[in-house]
Amino acid sequence: MKRILTLITLLISSLSFSQTITQKTFDGNINGKIPIILTLNFDGGTVLGNVVYKKKGIPISVIGYQSKNTLFLHELMPDGQATGIYSAEMKGDKIKGTWNAIKVNAKDLSLALSKTQEQSIPRKVLKSVTGTYRYSFGEEGGAGEMLVQQIGNDKIAISFNNVTAAPAYNLASVEKIVLKYANNQAVYSNQEYGKCKFKITFLENGARVDFMEDAYDCGFGHNASTEGNYIRVNSSVPKFEE
């Protein structure tokens, strides 16, 4: 019996490590004159990848989501600063939509890309998700910080401290709490102010937070939220507020 259980465990482990995700590479331009290469990994509705501006040649992380044909992504620098928003429609081998530079009075620029490559790649099981995760839309544009400490293989401690844009600066805070962790994901649920539930999907060097089951009653300030795209700015064990 013990041998059978061991074989089952090994089989499940093998299947887990054999899972794949789809990677697509697109070539095109912004505003008809800024050439880029966009490489995206599609894992369910979550999207992770990078964009390379051909004239600079330096990859910039992009994180976001896909919902049916809609694609929504943020460009995120290593310090968490967002430098661009992609809002587009993906049909067949084409991506068409807009790109915005996240600046005051910035105009939406056209985005037109064509797929050049598609392949299946292994889904990475992250060894550790410990670190500090952030996003920022400038001094007055809102920001978020998520602290994470992995506890063994199946638990993480997390906290959030997010703020909306000026002039409101409303807060979305979650004090340190331990959650179950499996398959690069954790779910937060709380009934203190109503039904509050969101999923944290950890990615290589980043994370995506999505509310679940329309459960938004978390006691946060007006329009404040934990939902969004985060980049991991460091991998050190964070110091949680006591």
Side-chain angles (χ1 to χ4, degrees):
M1 184 68 178
K2 185 176 180 181
R3 184 179 179 183
I4 293 174
L5 290 174
T6 300
L7 289 173
I8 292 173
T9 301
L10 289 172
L11 177 60
I12 293 173
S13 176
S14 175
L15 289 172
S16 175
F17 279 102
S18 67
Q19 289 180 337
T20 60
I21 59 176
T22 300
Q23 182 182 83
K24 297 180 181 180
T25 300
F26 298 85
D27 193 298
N29 61 72
I30 295 171
N31 203 30
K33 56 185 178 181
I34 305 173
I36 66 170
I37 296 175
L38 185 66
T39 301
L40 302 175
N41 298 330
F42 295 86
D43 189 356
T46 302
V47 182
L48 168 70
N50 65 70
V51 60
V52 175
Y53 290 81
K54 292 184 179 180
K55 291 183 179 179
K56 295 183 178 180
I58 302 172
I60 301 173
S61 294
V62 294
I63 299 174
Y65 68 87
Q66 177 192 10
S67 178
K68 296 183 179 179
N69 292 331
T70 299
L71 189 64
F72 189 82
L73 306 168
H74 285 153
E75 270 180 23
L76 292 165
M77 301 300 287
D79 62 355
Q81 181 64 47
T83 54
I85 297 176
Y86 298 75
S87 181
E89 188 175 31
M90 187 168 60
K91 283 189 175 181
D93 294 342
K94 305 289 185 180
I95 291 178
K96 290 187 177 181
T98 61
W99 179 93
N100 186 287
I102 318 180
K103 295 179 181 179
V104 177
N105 299 323
K107 296 181 179 179
D108 287 341
L109 304 179
S110 64
L111 175 72
L113 305 170
S114 298
K115 187 176 71 175
T116 58
Q117 185 178 6
E118 179 175 342
Q119 61 181 333
S120 294
I121 62 172
R123 177 188 284 111
K124 292 187 178 181
V125 177
L126 304 175
K127 293 182 179 180
S128 175
V129 295
T130 292
T132 299
Y133 297 71
R134 291 186 181 134
Y135 67 80
S136 173
F137 293 95
E139 292 183 3
E140 298 184 350
E145 180 180 78
M146 175 176 65
L147 304 182
V148 182
Q149 181 178 0
Q150 189 157 343
I151 305 169
N153 294 322
D154 60 353
K155 293 181 182 179
I156 58 170
I158 62 109
S159 72
F160 287 88
N161 188 20
N162 296 15
V163 61
T164 62
Y169 296 114
N170 291 320
L171 299 176
S173 298
V174 176
E175 295 182 352
K176 180 182 178 181
I177 186 171
V178 176
L179 305 176
K180 292 182 180 179
Y181 172 73
N183 298 322
N184 300 341
Q185 293 185 338
V187 174
Y188 172 89
S189 181
N190 192 309
Q191 301 287 335
E192 184 177 358
Y193 301 97
K195 193 173 181 182
C196 174
K197 189 175 184 180
F198 56 81
K199 175 178 65 177
I200 308 163
T201 302
F202 290 96
L203 311 164
E204 190 174 11
N205 210 34
R208 166 83 193 163
V209 178
D210 294 285
F211 277 95
M212 305 172 67
E213 303 169 9
D214 295 325
Y216 304 107
D217 298 327
C218 301
F220 300 152
H222 181 62
N223 288 332
S225 176
T226 55
E227 189 169 60
N229 307 307
Y230 300 71
I231 200 78
R232 181 159 60 174
V233 298
N234 70 62
S235 302
S236 302
V237 176
K239 185 177 181 180
F240 293 92
E241 292 186 9
E242 298 298 333

